[in-house]
Amino acid sequence: MKTEQVISMTTKKEHIILTTSELIHSKGYENTKLSDILNAADIGKGQFYHYFSTKKDLGIAVVDQFVRTWDQNLIEAILKSDKPSGEKLNEMLDWAIAYHEKSASFRGCPFGNLALEMSEHDETFRTKVNVLFEKWINSLADVLKDIVGEDMARQHAQAVVAQIEGGILLMKNFQDLTILKNIVENIRVQYAKH
Amino acid sequence: MKTEQVISMTTKKEHIILTTSELIHSKGYENTKLSDILNAADIGKGQFYHYFSTKKDLGIAVVDQFVRTWDQNLIEAILKSDKPSGEKLNEMLDWAIAYHEKSASFRGCPFGNLALEMSEHDETFRTKVNVLFEKWINSLADVLKDIVGEDMARQHAQAVVAQIEGGILLMKNFQDLTILKNIVENIRVQYAKH
DNA sequence: CGACTCCTACCAACCAGTCGGTACAATTCA
DNA sequence: TGAATTGTACCGACTGGTTGGTAGGAGTCG
């Protein structure tokens, strides 16, 4: 029984990008070998090099895809919605936990992972990850303006993002989701009574 | 006579460990190739495999060395000293900044780096990194007891460590030390008024 | 001597990337 | 019309270089 046509939902190129996203998210970029990609996406080398010129070319497409997704789901849908600020902050924190709850493993934050793996020896990746962090901090600072005032907003936004990323790091190493939950709860309390 | 032999052997082995520490700190474990180690330490392969049985064997020795150093300089010398708690917290934060200030590059926290690189696909490294984080959080919780009370101490300790690690992550990606400084200042303010 | 220390030459496995070729549909030409 | 040409999608054997690790020899020193 052949199920060839099922894949035509997305294009072949998108299929490769999506499959590789998973691999890079859990194994990192360098540690994801071309052979892993070829096996996971069930394609041959010819097909791969028909759509992408190098492995890095694919890597960049994967990061772009991550940035696009987060831009939609976190920044646009939550932080730039027209709900009250306190609600937006809470929704962001809910989203963070839900993100790591659903993927029964401890792969961590794709941007945090890439930041630590790549930022010191590859400018292309560093810059792309940077754009997302910058957007995140800026739009979060906008939200926090109403809570801590204009002067301190950006500093607090940095601190909150740092706390989340650090929490994810600890969660990953302890292989224990409750650590992240504690830290998120800590953030909630910190900004609830303002 | 025998002492001299032992010392020179230890020195040589330690020299390899120390040199590799630098490499692993800035490039990560997998990305530090054996040839890099051989070049940096200026030794031949025979010498390497005389002292270490595998690359992973060296990697473990390097992590052990990091753990020992931090145990001495951070946990014993600062967090378990007999100074007042507020002072110990401040000294820890000073130490964190000084650590990243002196190494004119942005290599990040060796444990944070290893946690994200290795913890999902190597139990040995994950466990060793875990031990250090556990020690750090426990002895920091002891310090925070006097500031936030026994009940909340551990949760706050986790949050502070997360904030520092996340701050280092952002600092590394933004290649900007002031981000870490802001976050550390934020922590200082948070626990100063208690 | 013989244990210890350290060397170079070498190995199989693996890596990203290349290359000659195939299948087949669309376009051009006679 | 239908034969020749062109373009797109794909294959997998192969390449040059790198990887971690091994074998066997040589210098040193008690």
Side-chain angles (χ1 to χ4, degrees):
Chain A
M1 8 189 137
K2 296 203 167 183
T3 50
E4 305 164 7
Q5 289 301 94
V6 181
I7 304 172
S8 65
M9 302 271 291
T10 55
T11 69
K12 216 80 204 227
K13 188 170 181 180
E14 269 164 358
H15 166 69
I16 298 174
I17 293 174
L18 252 26
T19 309
T20 311
S21 298
E22 304 276 305
L23 291 173
I24 289 184
H25 188 182
S26 63
K27 306 175 56 163
Y29 172 74
E30 298 280 7
N31 223 13
T32 297
K33 309 299 179 184
L34 215 41
S35 57
D36 299 330
I37 296 167
L38 267 26
N39 286 335
D42 197 35
I43 53 167
K45 240 178 200 182
Q47 190 170 1
F48 177 87
Y49 280 100
H50 175 69
Y51 290 110
F52 302 95
S53 57
T54 59
K55 184 193 166 190
K56 190 175 172 180
D57 189 30
L58 204 217
I60 287 167
V62 165
V63 177
D64 284 341
Q65 197 266 338
F66 271 121
V67 171
R68 231 177 299 121
T69 307
W70 282 49
D71 205 38
Q72 284 167 28
N73 299 349
L74 172 64
I75 289 161
E76 292 299 329
I78 296 177
L79 292 175
K80 289 189 175 170
S81 76
D82 47 10
K83 290 173 186 163
S85 291
E87 214 168 297
K88 286 198 269 190
L89 179 66
N90 270 321
E91 269 185 30
M92 180 189 84
L93 298 173
D94 291 340
W95 184 79
I97 289 180
Y99 187 88
H100 297 280
E101 221 161 26
K102 68 165 185 267
S103 66
S105 65
F106 300 102
R107 295 180 294 179
C109 169
F111 297 99
N113 293 357
L114 283 170
L116 286 200
E117 184 192 349
M118 305 298 286
S119 63
E120 229 213 348
H121 62 274
D122 190 299
E123 276 293 296
T124 320
F125 282 89
R126 203 200 107 238
T127 311
K128 285 190 179 288
V129 171
N130 217 311
V131 166
L132 192 275
F133 276 131
E134 190 69 46
K135 270 187 182 175
W136 188 4
I137 290 169
N138 281 340
S139 44
L140 179 60
D142 247 20
V143 170
L144 291 179
K145 256 183 214 165
D146 302 337
I147 303 175
V148 299
E150 185 128 15
D151 302 348
M152 300 298 286
R154 193 177 164 80
Q155 201 167 327
H156 277 266
Q158 279 180 0
V160 169
V161 171
Q163 231 165 316
I164 292 172
E165 285 298 327
I168 292 168
L169 187 151
L170 291 181
M171 172 202 77
K172 190 172 169 177
N173 191 255
F174 281 80
Q175 299 196 328
D176 180 6
L177 191 69
T178 61
I179 292 178
L180 180 60
K181 283 182 177 172
N182 280 348
I183 282 157
V184 162
E185 220 44 53
N186 201 60
I187 297 172
R188 249 189 260 271
V189 170
Q190 208 179 328
Y191 296 99
K193 51 187 76 170
H194 283 270
Chain B
M1 13 178 155
K2 198 157 196 177
T3 324
E4 207 177 271
Q5 216 178 50
V6 172
I7 283 176
S8 71
M9 186 189 90
T10 311
T11 302
K12 201 85 194 186
K13 187 170 180 179
E14 220 129 72
H15 165 69
I16 299 174
I17 293 174
L18 253 27
T19 310
T20 312
S21 297
E22 304 276 307
L23 291 172
I24 288 184
H25 188 182
S26 63
K27 305 175 56 163
Y29 172 74
E30 298 280 6
N31 222 16
T32 298
K33 309 299 179 185
L34 215 38
S35 57
D36 298 331
I37 296 167
L38 268 25
N39 285 336
D42 197 34
I43 53 167
K45 253 189 187 181
Q47 192 169 2
F48 176 87
Y49 280 101
H50 174 69
Y51 290 112
F52 303 95
S53 56
T54 59
K55 184 195 167 189
K56 188 176 173 178
D57 189 30
L58 203 218
I60 288 167
V62 165
V63 176
D64 285 342
Q65 196 266 339
F66 272 122
V67 171
R68 230 177 300 119
T69 308
W70 281 50
D71 204 37
Q72 284 167 28
N73 299 351
L74 171 65
I75 289 160
E76 293 299 329
I78 297 177
L79 293 175
K80 289 189 175 170
S81 77
D82 47 10
K83 288 172 188 164
S85 290
E87 214 169 297
K88 287 198 270 190
L89 180 66
N90 269 323
E91 270 186 29
M92 179 188 85
L93 297 174
D94 291 340
W95 184 79
I97 288 179
Y99 187 88
H100 297 279
E101 220 161 25
K102 68 164 184 269
S103 63
S105 65
F106 300 102
R107 295 181 295 179
C109 168
F111 296 99
N113 293 357
L114 283 171
L116 287 200
E117 183 192 350
M118 305 298 284
S119 63
E120 231 213 348
H121 62 273
D122 191 300
E123 276 293 295
T124 321
F125 284 89
R126 203 199 106 238
T127 311
K128 285 190 179 290
V129 172
N130 217 311
V131 166
L132 192 275
F133 276 131
E134 190 70 46
K135 270 188 183 174
W136 187 4
I137 290 170
N138 282 339
S139 45
L140 179 60
D142 247 21
V143 170
L144 291 179
K145 254 184 218 167
D146 301 337
I147 303 175
V148 299
E150 185 129 15
D151 304 347
M152 299 298 288
R154 194 177 164 78
Q155 200 166 331
H156 276 266
Q158 279 179 2
V160 169
V161 171
Q163 230 165 315
I164 293 172
E165 285 298 326
I168 292 167
L169 187 151
L170 291 182
M171 171 204 75
K172 190 171 169 177
N173 189 254
F174 281 79
Q175 298 195 327
D176 179 7
L177 191 70
T178 60
I179 291 178
L180 179 61
K181 283 182 177 171
N182 280 348
I183 282 157
V184 161
E185 220 44 53
N186 200 60
I187 297 173
R188 248 188 260 271
V189 170
Q190 207 178 327
Y191 295 99
K193 56 187 169 220
H194 284 269

